[in-house]
Amino acid sequence: MNSFFYYNPVKIIFGDGSISKLPQHIDPSLKILLMYGKNSIKENGVYDRITALLFKNKVIEFSGITANPTYALCKCAAQKAQENNIDFILAVGGGSVIDAAKYTAALSRSKYAGNEWELFKQSTNVESALPLGVVLTLPGTSTEMNLNAVISNDTTQEKHTFRSFKYFPQFAILDPEVMRSVPRAQLVSGIVDAFSHVIEQYLTYPVDAWVQDKFSESILSVLYTIGTQHIKNIYDPVILSNLVWASTQALSGLLGCGVPQDWSSHLIAHAITASFGIEHADAVAIVLPGVLTFQSHKKRDKLLQLLHTVFLRDGEEHDSTTLIAEFF
């Protein structure tokens, strides 16, 4: 196992009904910028619940965040935060909303006057950020529990992952009950995204990281089982709860401790999304099989380990060469 540094300060509030605990984690004196997508949280009642819970706070809204949030949109949100002397950002949504909120939090405190796109590619240039919290409405990205923010730039046709300790949310509320109104197709996309996150941290070469390997294999097994056996029952409380927690753990940072990683599939997928607007999970699903096929000889040992620990049923045995050939 390689040496590593691990830090994750995010408080997780998990379980059905946990959204009701929101006021316990936000000081009532704070002025809040509530960031969310379009109309889904109003249609499913989440908006009404949150605004009722925050009745003691002054709440300013910034809505309309779409998939693949842009630098320009975040600049607009940051301007609104500055104009209203916002103290705290609350992101209510999936990965796109949370990423936009993270980047907005940094832009709101920035002193670089419009040059942040290039400067923020170096995390050390993010000197300060507004504090933020998360109410997750769609599992998949794990951004609710990590230091990443993926932002697109329409002007340069880039999609870039920004990283900084300043992007960690103070807390994340994971309420599976809130997610039972999410369309099945979006939950499936979340499974694909989470699965690919684990694959790109796990499927490289062995470095005797037993804990990380077993942790990764357990999450892959959960996601694979849900994706292949429980899609029709995805809204079952047990299944959905496990999907939410597996997706959050997939990129919380713990799996990647002390192990080599390969994010080539994600980098290619980001370029495809930036150029053609394809949804992230769809782009990853298109790219990942080809990348694994091309690199199968370099990843042989871990690939076999994956096949035996996750994909084979108990008691099944296969010749290694035949197994790889069948997989591809």
Side-chain angles (χ1 to χ4, degrees):
M1 188 190 315
N2 300 325
S3 299
F4 63 87
F5 171 82
Y6 180 68
Y7 170 73
N8 195 316
V10 183
K11 292 187 293 185
I12 297 295
I13 304 98
F14 180 93
D16 283 351
S18 58
I19 193 173
S20 64
K21 299 177 182 178
L22 178 61
Q24 299 175 24
H25 302 280
I26 299 182
D27 188 307
S29 67
L30 298 180
K31 185 181 289 188
I32 296 171
L33 182 67
L34 176 62
M35 297 183 66
Y36 58 95
K38 294 185 177 180
N39 295 319
S40 60
I41 68 167
K42 292 186 176 180
E43 293 170 352
N44 61 21
V46 172
Y47 174 86
D48 289 338
R49 293 176 68 181
I50 287 177
T51 52
L53 289 166
L54 298 178
F55 72 95
K56 292 183 179 180
N57 297 87
K58 174 67 175 179
V59 178
I60 307 296
E61 298 183 21
F62 188 90
S63 61
I65 300 169
T66 59
N68 307 310
T70 65
Y71 176 57
L73 179 142
C74 293
K75 290 285 284 185
C76 290
Q79 182 177 355
K80 192 165 190 176
Q82 292 167 342
E83 290 173 350
N84 290 277
N85 297 313
I86 293 297
D87 304 305
F88 190 92
I89 295 177
L90 180 64
V92 181
S96 294
V97 172
I98 300 167
D99 284 357
K102 289 180 173 183
Y103 203 71
T104 297
L107 289 174
S108 299
R109 293 277 182 87
S110 174
K111 301 176 183 179
Y112 294 115
N115 300 317
E116 294 90 355
W117 179 258
E118 291 298 328
L119 288 164
F120 280 10
K121 289 180 179 179
Q122 299 295 322
S123 62
T124 53
N125 287 327
V126 183
E127 297 178 350
S128 181
L130 285 172
L132 73 146
V134 170
V135 176
L136 185 69
T137 63
L138 176 64
T141 67
S142 194
T143 189
E144 66 274 8
M145 199 182 176
N146 65 36
L147 75 172
N148 302 325
V150 183
I151 303 297
S152 298
N153 189 325
D154 288 343
T155 302
T156 61
Q157 286 196 309
E158 292 177 273
K159 184 175 181 180
H160 189 76
T161 300
F162 297 86
R163 296 180 176 87
S164 172
F165 289 132
K166 303 296 183 182
Y167 295 151
F168 275 121
Q170 288 190 350
F171 65 84
I173 292 177
L174 314 182
D175 188 338
E177 187 177 35
V178 167
M179 305 179 205
R180 292 199 182 102
S181 61
V182 174
R184 190 186 308 273
Q186 289 184 288
L187 292 175
V188 171
S189 291
I191 295 173
V192 172
D193 198 16
F195 194 90
S196 70
H197 289 158
V198 185
I199 284 292
E200 301 216 69
Q201 296 170 91
Y202 171 89
L203 202 52
T204 54
Y205 54 87
V207 290
D208 294 320
W210 299 347
V211 174
Q212 289 90 323
D213 278 0
K214 291 302 180 185
F215 195 9
S216 293
E217 289 161 7
S218 67
I219 294 176
L220 289 169
S221 182
V222 168
L223 293 170
Y224 178 65
T225 300
I226 293 174
T228 58
Q229 300 179 26
H230 299 300
I231 286 296
K232 292 183 178 180
N233 300 316
I234 195 73
Y235 299 107
D236 176 88
V238 172
I239 296 169
L240 188 54
S241 292
N242 279 282
L243 171 58
V244 172
W245 189 227
S247 298
T248 294
Q249 287 298 321
L251 197 54
S252 67
L254 189 59
L255 302 185
C257 290
V259 300
Q261 303 177 38
D262 177 10
W263 291 95
S264 54
S265 294
H266 261 69
L267 293 175
I268 296 169
H270 284 175
I272 291 173
T273 296
S275 299
F276 303 105
I278 296 175
E279 292 291 339
H280 173 66
D282 294 341
V284 171
I286 292 169
V287 171
L288 185 59
V291 170
L292 294 184
T293 301
F294 181 74
Q295 296 182 341
S296 60
H297 61 293
K298 295 180 179 179
K299 300 178 182 288
R300 179 184 176 86
D301 291 341
K302 289 301 288 286
L303 181 59
L304 286 172
Q305 184 176 330
L306 170 70
L307 295 174
H308 282 291
T309 56
V310 176
F311 292 110
L312 290 184
R313 297 175 182 174
D314 292 341
E316 286 186 325
E317 294 185 4
H318 289 265
D319 172 74
S320 296
T321 303
T322 303
L323 195 58
I324 290 180
E326 288 179 351
F327 186 74
F328 291 113

